[in-house]
Amino acid sequence: MIDLKQYEVWFVTGSQHLYGPKTLEQVAAHSQEIARALSNSVRIPVKVVFKPVLTTPEAIHTLCLEANAAANCVGLITWMHTFSPAKMWIAGLTALQKPFAHLHTQYSAEIPWAEIDMNFMNLNQSAHGDREFGFIGSRMRLNRKVVVGHWQDAEVQASLGTWARAACAWYDLQGAKIARFGDNMREVAVTEGDKVEAQRRLGYAVYGYGVGDLVKVVSQVSDTEIDQLIAEYNEQYDVAPTLRRGGEQYASLREAARIEAGMRHFLKDGNFKAFTTTFEDLHGLAQLPGLAVQRLMADGYGFGAEGDWKTSALVHAMKVMGAGLEGGVSFMEDYTYHFSQVGDMKVLGAHMLEVCASIAAKRPALEIHQLSIGGKADPARLVFEAKSGPAVNASIMDMGNRFRMVVNEVEVVPADAPLPKLPVARAVWIPRPNLKVAAAAWILAGGAHHTGFSQSVNAEHLQDFADMAYMEFLLINQDTKLVDFKKEIRWNDMYYLLAKGL
């Protein structure tokens, strides 16, 4: 499972020697107090580590190099307690390879009207010290998150926590390995992309394997391992009677367990964090890995169907961002529409089999049903409906000269009626602002049919992540108007065409 407590962000305060040692001692004491409070906040999932106040270009540069090399540091929170001339920060920020959030706060929440004097004014200069620091970030064209407000405010801490989760996901993806069993689904465009550019820009590497490489590991799984998995299934799910010992489909369930155990061995031994399969390349496997994929996703692995490595990496990153939060993350696909005439148009989201039970509203059922694609034996799968409530669908596409992320905020709702003949995991949602606008905007953006779906991660997490990746970000939400969305796409095209020269 994913544990964010192993990570830390460094709290970095800027000042200068102009104010004298007594003022700098106060700056350090205040900074330590703020860092400690943030570290203890339930809204921030990582440890916040105080670092000595920075007052010279050399100290700033050294700290940034140390942050780059620190194994568990995922980023910096910067704050200018006093004025900190920003030319001091150029070398350090140029060298910094980890994301940073700019906290625009001050130690005291309010002005002490009756007692305020010049000593107070000299000490509490964040109002213009942070603006000087902000200029150099903008002058250097650096992506960063700016959080404004008092450090004790719940909203400020929550925003920093969101950024920290995105920073953990970004850090986790650097050097990550994705296993691709088989190739891309034939003739499909959006799941293709430049893997070299992805490794250069996004940090992860994609490794291709013939399905025979997986089959070799699957064939070595012992009966003892299969028995252990069968026991887990019976404990965690409502197992259909035909799949229990002595049932007519029990042998098929054991084969599903064999595939799961083999995939686990392969992914663990190769230190992979995500993987893909394709139903067009199952040679040597008895059935499509449905149950295996669902359970591996529940343990934090990313997944993409039909060779979709970009979605696989995104799902894993979203798993990291959402670790410990209520709700779940799953691979998903907009499957079919409910074009109701009474104004409540909806989407039925599902896939052939591979939807993660972390989003389930109730205890899943474990069943085997026919799958009219792939030409293999009927596969095992978990069947359930997703919880109701707000969620997001996110997709990453290779646009040729850049990667683009598009996100749609949605509201998951109960199905209008039971679905007794649809034996797959599914979610029904109302896209924001409505189906017609959301679908048109998604199509205009070139959004993929595969997505990362989450009720724990929101649009702010994903925008922070996209900023860290210097990735284009398009949001479809309650305020989206197609005329403005089209303009945003056109403006972005022009920006990314010229951005390399800025």
Side-chain angles (χ1 to χ4, degrees):
M1 302 298 288
I2 298 167
D3 178 17
L4 302 187
K5 292 296 183 183
Q6 63 183 304
Y7 299 123
E8 59 188 37
V9 296
W10 291 3
F11 191 82
V12 177
T13 306
S15 186
Q16 59 179 332
H17 286 291
L18 177 67
Y19 304 105
K22 184 176 180 180
T23 296
L24 289 178
E25 288 175 8
Q26 289 179 286
V27 169
H30 291 170
S31 298
Q32 285 178 297
E33 183 179 347
I34 295 173
R36 185 165 53 248
L38 296 180
S39 191
N40 291 334
S41 172
V42 297
R43 300 173 182 88
I44 298 177
V46 300
K47 184 178 181 181
V48 179
V49 178
F50 165 78
K51 290 294 177 178
V53 177
L54 301 176
T55 56
T56 67
E58 294 77 16
I60 294 169
H61 185 250
T62 296
L63 180 132
C64 289
L65 293 179
E66 290 173 350
N68 291 342
N72 295 325
C73 175
V74 300
L76 311 182
I77 297 174
T78 58
W79 173 49
M80 306 303 114
H81 192 320
T82 65
F83 196 77
S84 179
K87 286 179 66 177
M88 295 195 304
W89 289 85
I90 293 174
L93 293 178
T94 298
L96 184 64
Q97 297 173 354
K98 292 184 178 177
F100 72 97
H102 182 183
L103 176 59
H104 185 39
T105 190
Q106 63 183 28
Y107 177 72
S108 300
E110 299 175 350
I111 294 174
W113 303 105
E115 288 80 27
I116 187 170
D117 57 16
M118 284 310 300
N119 288 332
F120 183 96
M121 295 279 278
N122 284 332
L123 176 62
N124 295 280
Q125 296 192 54
S126 303
H128 75 296
D130 277 327
R131 293 170 194 259
E132 165 76 356
F133 182 73
F135 166 75
I136 205 63
S138 295
R139 176 65 177 80
M140 294 174 68
R141 308 302 196 270
L142 299 176
N143 278 355
R144 74 278 195 201
K145 183 170 189 173
V146 178
V147 179
V148 180
H150 193 254
W151 52 275
Q152 291 178 318
D153 290 349
E155 184 178 349
V156 168
Q157 294 181 3
S159 190
L160 288 172
T162 296
W163 171 84
R165 288 179 173 277
C168 289
W170 178 248
Y171 178 85
D172 179 83
L173 215 55
Q174 305 312 298
K177 296 170 60 179
I178 298 174
R180 201 171 186 226
F181 299 117
D183 202 349
N184 197 59
M185 182 179 173
R186 290 184 281 275
E187 303 294 354
V188 176
V190 75
T191 51
E192 289 283 13
D194 188 335
K195 301 183 191 69
V196 173
E197 187 67 7
Q199 186 170 350
R200 189 178 77 87
R201 295 295 299 274
L202 305 180
Y204 60 82
V206 182
Y207 294 80
Y209 295 93
V211 71
D213 296 322
L214 174 60
V215 170
K216 181 179 179 181
V217 180
V218 169
S219 66
Q220 296 172 352
V221 171
S222 69
D223 287 341
T224 300
E225 289 181 274
I226 295 173
D227 291 340
Q228 291 172 344
L229 284 175
I230 295 293
E232 286 185 30
Y233 300 163
N234 285 308
E235 180 181 345
Q236 297 175 15
Y237 315 121
D238 292 333
V239 179
T242 57
L243 299 183
R244 295 186 179 276
R245 185 179 296 276
E248 61 188 50
Q249 294 178 310
Y250 181 65
S252 294
L253 182 61
R254 291 187 66 83
E255 191 59 39
R258 184 185 301 278
I259 293 172
E260 178 187 338
M263 292 187 101
R264 285 186 180 277
H265 283 303
F266 194 104
L267 296 173
K268 183 178 180 180
D269 292 346
N271 195 29
F272 294 102
K273 294 184 176 179
F275 66 104
T276 73
T277 63
T278 174
F279 68 90
E280 287 186 327
D281 191 354
L282 297 173
H283 183 72
L285 294 176
Q287 55 184 260
L288 179 69
L291 178 62
V293 170
Q294 290 177 297
R295 284 174 50 82
L296 285 162
M297 268 196 289
D299 286 343
Y301 286 97
F303 173 75
E306 293 120 36
D308 191 349
W309 49 272
K310 296 188 297 299
T311 301
S312 176
L314 175 61
V315 169
H316 175 70
M318 292 171 70
K319 292 277 188 184
V320 175
M321 285 182 240
L325 296 177
E326 185 177 352
V329 173
S330 178
F331 174 77
M332 188 60 75
E333 180 174 275
D334 291 54
Y335 224 100
T336 192
Y337 291 144
H338 180 62
F339 277 137
S340 170
Q341 298 303 309
V342 295
D344 63 339
M345 297 182 183
K346 304 179 181 74
V347 176
L348 173 60
H351 202 254
M352 291 183 292
L353 303 175
E354 308 97 338
V355 174
C356 178
S358 65
I359 67 170
K362 298 180 180 178
R363 180 179 166 99
L366 176 52
E367 303 171 358
I368 286 181
H369 296 278
Q370 182 181 5
L371 182 67
S372 56
I373 195 168
K376 290 291 182 176
D378 297 337
R381 82 289 302 271
L382 299 175
V383 179
F384 56 84
E385 292 189 7
K387 303 181 186 110
S388 296
V392 291
N393 271 311
S395 181
I396 292 178
M397 300 78 65
D398 184 343
M399 301 303 294
N401 65 338
R402 65 191 185 276
F403 290 100
R404 168 185 287 171
M405 179 187 290
V406 58
V407 175
N408 187 194
E409 295 180 344
V410 306
E411 183 74 20
V412 180
V413 296
D416 289 8
L419 299 164
K421 295 184 178 181
L422 186 64
V424 294
R426 63 264 182 170
V428 178
W429 63 77
I430 300 173
R432 299 302 182 204
N434 57 61
L435 176 55
K436 285 190 174 182
V437 172
W442 191 273
I443 288 170
L444 287 167
H449 54 282
H450 292 160
T451 62
F453 170 92
S454 180
Q455 293 179 307
S456 57
V457 172
N458 59 36
E460 185 181 357
H461 292 99
L462 292 163
Q463 181 158 21
D464 287 349
F465 179 85
D467 285 345
M468 292 171 192
Y470 283 77
M471 185 188 303
E472 180 186 7
F473 180 84
L474 293 171
L475 176 62
I476 305 168
N477 63 7
Q478 189 62 42
D479 299 324
T480 297
K481 294 179 174 60
L482 281 178
V483 63
D484 296 327
F485 195 77
K486 289 179 182 179
K487 290 177 183 177
E488 184 177 2
I489 291 173
R490 294 186 183 118
W491 293 336
N492 287 359
D493 281 338
M494 182 61 69
Y495 168 79
Y496 283 98
L497 180 67
L498 300 174
K500 292 182 179 179
L502 290 179

